[in-house]
Amino acid sequence: MSDIRHSLLRRDALSAAKEVLYHLDIYFSSQLQSAPLPIVDKGPVELLEEFVFQVPKERSAQPKRLNSLQELQLLEIMCNYFQEQTKDSVRQIIFSSLFSPQGNKADDSRMSLLGKLVSMAVAVCRIPVLECAASWLQRTPVVYCVRLAKALVDDYCCLVPGSIQTLKQIFSASPRFCCQFITSVTALYDLSSDDLIPPMDLLEMIVTWIFEDPRLILITFLNTPIAANLPIGFLELTPLVGLIRWCVKAPLAYKRKKKPPLSNGHVSNKVTKDPGVGMDRDSHLLYSKLHLSVLQVLMTLQLHLTEKNLYGRLGLILFDHMVPLVEEINRLADELNPLNASQEIELSLDRLAQALQVAMASGALLCTRDDLRTLCSRLPHNNREPQRLTWRPPVWAARPGVLRPELRGPQAPCRAHSHASSPVGSWLCHCFSVSTAWTPGWSVPVLLQLVISGPVQQSPHAALPPGFYPHIHTPPLGYGAVPAHPAAHPALPTHPGHTFISGVTFPFRPIR
């Protein structure tokens, strides 16, 4: 590598960058012939930092800076290299050598150039660059992934109005990149503050992608070998947790964003019925469509988990992620006046209950009933008149049987059963078209029903016996088999009997 460096020092910045890519291409191509996964040592990385990112090797030397035209030419050189390299393994290792964070002063230049390169690849549709970026997002810590997502959002949602259409077109070009981009965006925009609410154009684009093909958000999971212990601090295998967070927190986050202040700086406690306060109609419909798509994806996971022999052993939605979500709901509910935000609180809790119910029934969420009791106990309390959960087709439903959950008053007739011919409609009708009274101290009757009766009985599956509950019978990944129970158990203290809600038709399942 020292000989290569001496030859590159005599060249100008652009020709040196092009030459170092050429030499490393030859170097890694020969390495891949002897080892399927060659180790990238320090020499190639230092060459790239010095001649691509313009970080001098000597600490006392002043860093070189490319002007805007030279930077654009460098991006074109890199785009052309990845486009012309036909071996995907070589492309991936060069991309990784270029942009994997090293924890040094070159990381800022590395991330800045990466954002511009991926932005250019989106604009000119360079699929090899997008595929390399998708792999990079999968193996890079999340703190760097959100920086790339922020750069793309700034370029296509904020910088030039209407440029979101260019980003939207990569849906068919590189679905794998779209999946990783959605996961990064949901990690970036967590709705914890008004600044972290996703832009309207970005939200509409993501909802359009997922609504057209809900399987998009499972691409990484379906095409990735699953390890026993998933790494901590990296992106999730799917954006499901982030999308559930969006759907659940959106009503409260938008209500907080449009909370009307008074002249003295305090917030009015007066109940307002202005429909402009809170979520506007477009945002409400988008989050409703997104929520339905998430439920549809969750319903398909039982089959996919079974095919990978992971059913009951791998939870794509970790219970540890649901606990902070409930705490965030509590914080938002406390921040808002419950009298002003009662409808928004109910909508958030309804969506949380439905997501938990479908995730548990499909095996995507593995938890015990005690865990669920603890989760329910942390929900905001709300005593209200009797209500019922019903369904009705929304205005955006373009095909029959597409439903949107909605909380309606007791005087409204239930229309759920008229759509039972739809697979989604019939399954969700079985879950949610139950008329129940509110119990003081509980926010959502569906969650209370989950605590009492457990998940809805699953449909018979070819690979599983009827009544099979994965989180009871199968040890999770990374753990050994559950030891046999002793022949005799010590006497257990008696517990007071549960008071069951009348009219609940959930199938009884005894506590094991």
Side-chain angles (χ1 to χ4, degrees), residues 412-454:
C414 177
R415 305 182 185 181
H417 298 288
S418 62
H419 302 277
S421 58
S422 165
V424 176
S426 61
W427 197 94
L428 294 177
C429 284
H430 177 63
C431 295
F432 301 117
S433 61
V434 181
S435 175
T436 60
W438 290 90
T439 302
W442 292 95
S443 300
V444 183
V446 174
L447 279 177
L448 183 57
Q449 294 161 9
L450 280 171
V451 173
I452 294 174
S453 301

Side-chain angles (χ1 to χ4, degrees), residues 50 53-66 105 109:
E50 184 174 3
F53 303 115
Q54 307 303 316
V55 178
K57 190 174 182 180
E58 294 79 12
R59 294 184 179 181
S60 59
Q62 291 294 327
K64 302 176 183 178
R65 293 191 179 276
L66 301 178
K105 60 183 180 181
S109 300

Side-chain angles (χ1 to χ4, degrees), residues 75 86 109 116 167 209 242 302 389 404 440 444 504:
L75 293 172
T86 58
S109 300
K116 295 172 183 177
L167 182 61
W209 282 353
Q302 177 175 324
L389 281 173
R404 175 170 62 92
V444 183
V504 177

Side-chain angles (χ1 to χ4, degrees), residues 78 111 212 218 229 231 241 255 273 312 323 346 363 368 400:
M78 299 173 70
M111 291 303 303
E212 288 182 2
L218 297 180
N229 296 314
V241 173
K255 184 72 173 181
K273 295 185 178 179
V323 174
E346 293 305 320
T368 65

